[in-house]
Amino acid sequence: LQVIVSSRPDNEIQKLSKFNVVDIHPLGTEDYFPFLKKLSLDTDKIIAIVDAITGSPSNVASLITTPLMLTLVVMVYQSESQIPAELPEFFEKLFYTVFTRHDKLKPTFERQHYSSLSEKKLQELFEAFCFMAMQAGHGRTLNSSQFSEAFELAQDCVKGSSCTEDGFRKDITKVSCLMLEEGFQDVTFLHKSIAEYHAAAFVKDSDDSFAKEFYEIASDNWSYWKECL
């Protein structure tokens, strides 16, 4: 009997000596149609979604390397009936879709946020969190202590964002899936551009003195901050 198990990277089952561990190949454009068919979408709708993705000027297609990311793009399309023309607009629509619009499509269903924060305040806190994580150079994956550090710094920057770290973490990983729990305690951004966009949004909404300080720092480390800039 051949046994195949799918798991997150560094999951405990990978330590069993009888298993050979292989990485799943990234999703390609040729995978869109058969995958969307598995979601029980009508053929006409699948064709419309694939055409919208491949014809989008916002380079959304370059972000779709996992089934989860493709599913989120489909959610945005079903909510907006289009793929936003600009990448920042796509991420703005994505946040709204995963937290609000998607659940409103389900009759009598109202999802409670673990953090008890409003969607707007949670978005502000997440933007500050992304900036703090990038500023510390943590990269796409954060361990438990790095996550805590970024969360505490973010809370200091956002008024009215009082909540527990565990509640915030669950909202981001279990409700929105903008970050994923990997292995034992690590958390990783679904795509590095999610961290970059929301960090840029944090700078955009900050006051002039903060922005001036940021641009001075960023100019000395252009290659690291260029996507945010």
Side-chain angles (χ1 to χ4, degrees):
L1 177 64
Q2 185 178 41
V3 179
I4 299 175
V5 181
S6 65
S7 74
R8 301 283 186 210
D10 302 318
N11 192 276
E12 288 297 305
I13 199 168
Q14 296 181 25
K15 297 177 182 177
L16 297 180
S17 60
K18 295 296 184 180
F19 282 96
N20 295 319
V21 180
V22 296
D23 293 331
I24 295 177
H25 196 277
L27 216 62
T29 54
E30 70 280 1
D31 299 314
Y32 293 174
F33 193 94
F35 177 78
L36 295 176
K37 198 70 176 175
K38 291 291 185 181
L39 297 183
S40 300
L41 297 175
D42 294 336
T43 299
D44 290 344
K45 179 168 284 189
I46 293 175
I47 293 173
I49 291 173
V50 172
D51 287 346
I53 293 173
T54 55
S56 171
S58 61
N59 295 322
V60 169
S62 65
L63 307 178
I64 306 174
T65 57
T66 65
L68 178 56
M69 195 66 195
L70 177 54
T71 304
L72 293 178
V73 170
V74 171
M75 288 169 59
V76 171
Y77 180 84
Q78 290 181 319
S79 174
E80 302 296 325
S81 299
Q82 64 177 354
I83 303 296
E86 300 294 336
L87 211 52
E89 184 186 359
F90 168 74
F91 283 118
E92 187 72 25
K93 299 293 186 184
L94 175 62
F95 195 95
Y96 170 68
T97 299
V98 296
F99 272 109
T100 303
R101 183 65 178 269
H102 179 57
D103 288 339
K104 285 183 178 178
L105 298 177
K106 306 172 187 175
T108 73
F109 180 78
E110 183 175 352
R111 188 190 300 275
Q112 292 297 118
H113 290 175
Y114 292 95
S115 64
S116 298
L117 296 176
S118 67
E119 178 193 330
K120 179 61 177 175
K121 192 58 64 175
L122 186 60
Q123 183 174 1
E124 291 177 8
L125 183 58
F126 183 62
E127 290 171 354
F129 172 86
C130 290
F131 179 85
M132 296 306 171
M134 286 200 64
Q135 181 177 242
H138 292 328
R140 184 178 169 187
T141 300
L142 285 69
N143 60 34
S144 181
S145 62
Q146 291 170 340
F147 189 97
S148 297
E149 177 191 29
F151 172 75
E152 291 172 4
L153 290 171
Q155 273 208 314
D156 290 340
C157 295
V158 181
K159 294 181 179 179
S161 64
S162 179
C163 68
T164 65
E165 178 184 332
D166 183 61
F168 172 76
R169 178 168 173 153
K170 285 181 177 178
D171 273 346
I172 299 303
T173 59
K174 298 185 183 300
V175 179
S176 73
C177 295
L178 293 176
M179 297 187 76
L180 304 174
E181 294 181 327
E182 302 280 15
F184 181 54
Q185 287 186 322
D186 291 352
V187 180
T188 187
F189 288 99
L190 179 63
H191 195 278
K192 66 177 183 177
S193 58
I194 289 177
E196 293 165 347
Y197 164 73
H198 287 95
F202 174 73
V203 176
K204 174 179 174 291
D205 293 333
S206 298
D207 58 36
D208 289 349
S209 61
F210 177 89
K212 182 174 184 291
E213 183 179 353
F214 165 73
Y215 289 124
E216 288 175 350
I217 294 172
S219 65
D220 293 330
N221 195 1
W222 169 261
S223 60
Y224 182 75
W225 290 104
K226 67 178 182 178
E227 293 300 330
C228 286
L229 292 166

